[in-house]
Amino acid sequence: MPIYRETVIEVDLDKIAYNMEQIRAMVGKDVKIAAVVKANGYGHGAVGIAPAIMEHGGDLLCVATLTEAIELKEAYPRYPVLIMGLTPTEYFPAVLDYNILQTIDTLAQAKALAALARERGATAGIHIKYDTGFHRIGFPDAPKSYTAIEEISRMEGLKIEGIFSHLVLLDDESNRQQYEAFSRAVRTLKERGVALPCCHLADSIASVDYPRYRMDMIRAGAIIYGLKGFHKGSLDVRQALTFKTKINHITEIKAGEGVSYDFVWRSDRDTRIGTLPFGYADGYPRNLRGKAMVTVRGKQVPVVGVLCMDQCMIDLGDVPKAQIGDEVIIYGDGTGNTLDIQAVSVLAETNKNDIVARLTARPPRIYRKDGKIAEIRTMIGRKSI
């Protein structure tokens, strides 16, 4: 299948598998792994990476929105998928149609979903979101919530399959307070006869740094992709993504001549400018102007001028043999004099998740397994090799 673009994202499925096996070894056989594949699998392509995740220790796939869940369910109907965000009640029919696990954080939502499920003679699986201080979504940490959740547990048409909260990750003390608040809520609910098969609190960072908080299940996100955000613990995970393109034009300019909009960059020497067919519409941070480096023939060269929507320019003055068609590594894994995603995030003054989540659907995803291309997914189709 033709790719039709020189700018591509390569995903090493062997590294995804390796990372999953490392996570499984870390948490042991008794703790479930919910694999977070929202934001198109952190830019890696959720549908493309899902089999590697589920075949190497994943118990559950987690997304943020209904459309993300439907995409996965249409590809893999048997995979359990949890929507961690809230779904408007008018879309609950689709939740039932696809047998998706839905997060609930109000009594009204629960009643609406239960009524619809009863009409269909079905049972909807839900996870309760409990707010221990993040103050984003969730039942408030208060006695009235115990009463509401107890009522939900008795509703025909619903089955509580889990309850979860999210750490702020400010410091050890606030984490401890949230953990204790969540544990107290779980304990109280169980004493009231509420069945809570799966209690989960820890994300990637907490699951590595705070083993005590793993509970029944962890929600592994960044660590699946080899992105390290933890500080106290350690886990050997490997970056799975490479973002690359090719030089498609070279221009010779004189000292003093400018490049791109407003000539905010002018060359201080005679040089050659290489044009690359990618830009911020592919998810590259526009604020990297004046800071970004890419790798050509093993040498880091600067991105110059204002980054365009679909193209950017690099100074090839220090790579005199560079030519049209040469491969350019935008994000590497740090080897071969490339910038890994951590390094790029520092330059862009953001975090690693932001860098990969920005990656749009335009660049084709090329999936490699056992050193070979296993699958290609583009905006116009897919092909397994």
Side-chain angles (χ1 to χ4, degrees), residues 283-324:
Y284 194 69
R286 196 167 186 262
N287 71 337
L288 285 177
R289 178 176 64 81
K291 298 179 285 187
M293 306 289 285
V294 297
T295 302
V296 180
R297 295 195 173 206
K299 186 174 183 61
Q300 289 186 16
V301 301
V303 176
V304 296
V306 174
L307 186 74
C308 306
M309 182 178 285
D310 312 297
Q311 300 177 87
C312 70
M313 283 62 72
I314 57 176
D315 184 353
L316 293 172
D318 294 331
V319 192
K321 294 184 179 180
Q323 55 188 305
I324 292 173

Side-chain angles (χ1 to χ4, degrees), residues 129-144:
K129 183 63 182 287
Y130 195 83
D131 181 14
T132 55
F134 207 112
H135 298 325
R136 185 168 56 182
I137 63 173
F139 282 93
D141 185 25
K144 64 179 181 180

Side-chain angles (χ1 to χ4, degrees), residues 115-186:
L116 183 62
R118 288 194 299 270
E119 287 177 11
R120 296 188 175 195
T123 299
I126 63 171
H127 281 232
I128 300 293
K129 183 63 182 287
Y130 195 83
D131 181 14
T132 55
F134 207 112
H135 298 325
R136 185 168 56 182
I137 63 173
F139 282 93
D141 185 25
K144 64 179 181 180
S145 295
Y146 303 155
T147 302
I149 296 169
E150 184 179 354
E151 182 177 344
I152 291 170
S153 73
R154 296 195 300 266
M155 289 182 184
E156 184 183 351
L158 295 185
K159 180 182 179 182
I160 297 177
E161 298 198 10
I163 185 170
F164 69 109
S165 192
H166 200 300
L167 294 172
V168 176
L169 296 172
L170 172 63
D171 52 36
D172 290 350
E173 178 57 21
S174 63
N175 291 337
R176 183 190 63 77
Q177 291 174 1
Q178 283 189 266
Y179 170 73
E180 291 183 353
F182 185 57
S183 298
R184 181 173 59 250
V186 168

Side-chain angles (χ1 to χ4, degrees), residues 37-40 62-73 81:
V37 294
K38 62 183 179 179
N40 196 25
C62 292
V63 295
T65 68
L66 176 58
T67 50
E68 291 176 329
I70 290 173
E71 179 187 33
L72 286 164
K73 278 293 192 176
V81 177

Side-chain angles (χ1 to χ4, degrees), residues 315-347:
D315 184 353
L316 293 172
D318 294 331
V319 192
K321 294 184 179 180
Q323 55 188 305
I324 292 173
D326 277 0
E327 183 177 82
V328 178
I329 304 299
I330 307 164
Y331 305 158
D333 63 2
T335 63
N337 204 24
T338 61
L339 293 181
D340 63 12
I341 292 167
Q342 166 64 19
V344 174
S345 71
V346 171
L347 291 175

